[in-house]
Amino acid sequence: LCVFSSLQLVSLLLIGIAAWGIGFGLISSFRVVGVVIAVGVFLFFIALVGLIGAVKHHQVLLFFYMIILLLVFIVQFSVSCACLALNEEQQSELLEVGWSNTNSARTDIERNLNCCGFRVFYPNETCAADCLRTLHCRPCAPIMEEYAGMVLRFVGGIGLFFSFTEILGVWLTYRYRNQKDPRANPSAFI
C-alpha cells in the first residue's frame, strides 16, 4: 500500500506545483499547466486503481495497474536519464528551441527573470521585463543557462528516485497479485 501512496504523493505534488505556479503568476501558459495537471490527475487515478485492486484483491485491476505502472516507469526513467545526461551545449540548444517556439513562456521568462531577448535584445521587439524602463536589460540566455543545469539535475534526480519506487511497485504488485485471497474459500484453491 505504501507504493500506491507514493504514486498518489507524486500526482498530488504535480497538481500542487502547477497550481502554485499559476497562483504566484510564475506560469501563464495554460498549455503547460494543463499538461502537468492532466499528468497528475492520470497518476492519481492509476494509484486509485491500484489501491482498489489491492484492497479488493481484484486480479484484473492489479494486472492493469502493474502494466500501466511499468509503462510510467519506462517513460519516467527515460526522461530522468535524459535530464541528467544533457551537457551545456545541448541545454543551450534546448533553451533556444523553447524560446523561439513559445511566446507565452518567453513573456513569463522575461517578466520573472527581468531580462529581454534571448542572446540580443533589439529595440523594436516587445519585452515584458521591468528593466526595459531603464534600458539596461541583460539577455535572458545567460540567466536561463545558469539555472538550467541545476534544475535539470534536480528534476532528473527526483524523477529517478520516484521511478525506482515505481519499479518496486510493479514487483510488489506482481508478488501480491499471485497470492491467494485470504477471504476466499480455501477449498477453491485445491
Side-chain angles (χ1 to χ4, degrees), residues 50-138:
L51 188 61
I52 292 169
V55 169
K56 301 277 187 186
H57 207 84
H58 195 276
Q59 298 292 316
V60 176
L61 284 179
L62 287 173
F63 176 75
F64 281 117
Y65 172 75
M66 184 176 64
I67 296 301
I68 292 172
L69 193 61
L70 182 64
L71 294 174
V72 168
F73 163 76
I74 291 169
V75 169
Q76 188 171 340
F77 184 77
S78 302
V79 169
S80 298
C81 288
C83 285
L84 293 172
L86 286 176
N87 61 27
E88 288 181 18
E89 181 181 319
Q90 292 168 330
Q91 289 173 19
S92 180
E93 289 174 14
L94 188 62
L95 289 173
E96 192 165 359
V97 167
W99 181 269
S100 61
N101 288 334
T102 57
N103 288 329
S104 61
R106 183 182 315 161
T107 304
D108 290 341
I109 290 169
E110 287 176 341
R111 188 182 67 241
N112 291 325
L113 296 181
N114 202 23
C115 59
C116 288
F118 188 70
R119 298 241 185 251
V120 178
F121 177 66
Y122 300 106
N124 60 348
E125 292 180 2
T126 59
C127 180
D130 290 334
C131 66
L132 191 59
R133 293 183 202 142
T134 63
L135 298 175
H136 189 275
C137 291
R138 291 177 37 186

Side-chain angles (χ1 to χ4, degrees), residues 161-176:
F161 171 76
F162 281 112
S163 69
F164 284 115
T165 63
E166 288 164 3
I167 199 65
L168 177 66
V170 169
W171 180 74
L172 288 173
T173 304
Y174 175 76
R175 297 284 304 202
Y176 183 74

Side-chain angles (χ1 to χ4, degrees), residues 132-151:
L132 191 59
R133 293 183 202 142
T134 63
L135 298 175
H136 189 275
C137 291
R138 291 177 37 186
C140 294
I143 299 170
M144 290 183 346
E145 289 170 352
E146 181 180 320
Y147 293 111
M150 178 182 62
V151 168

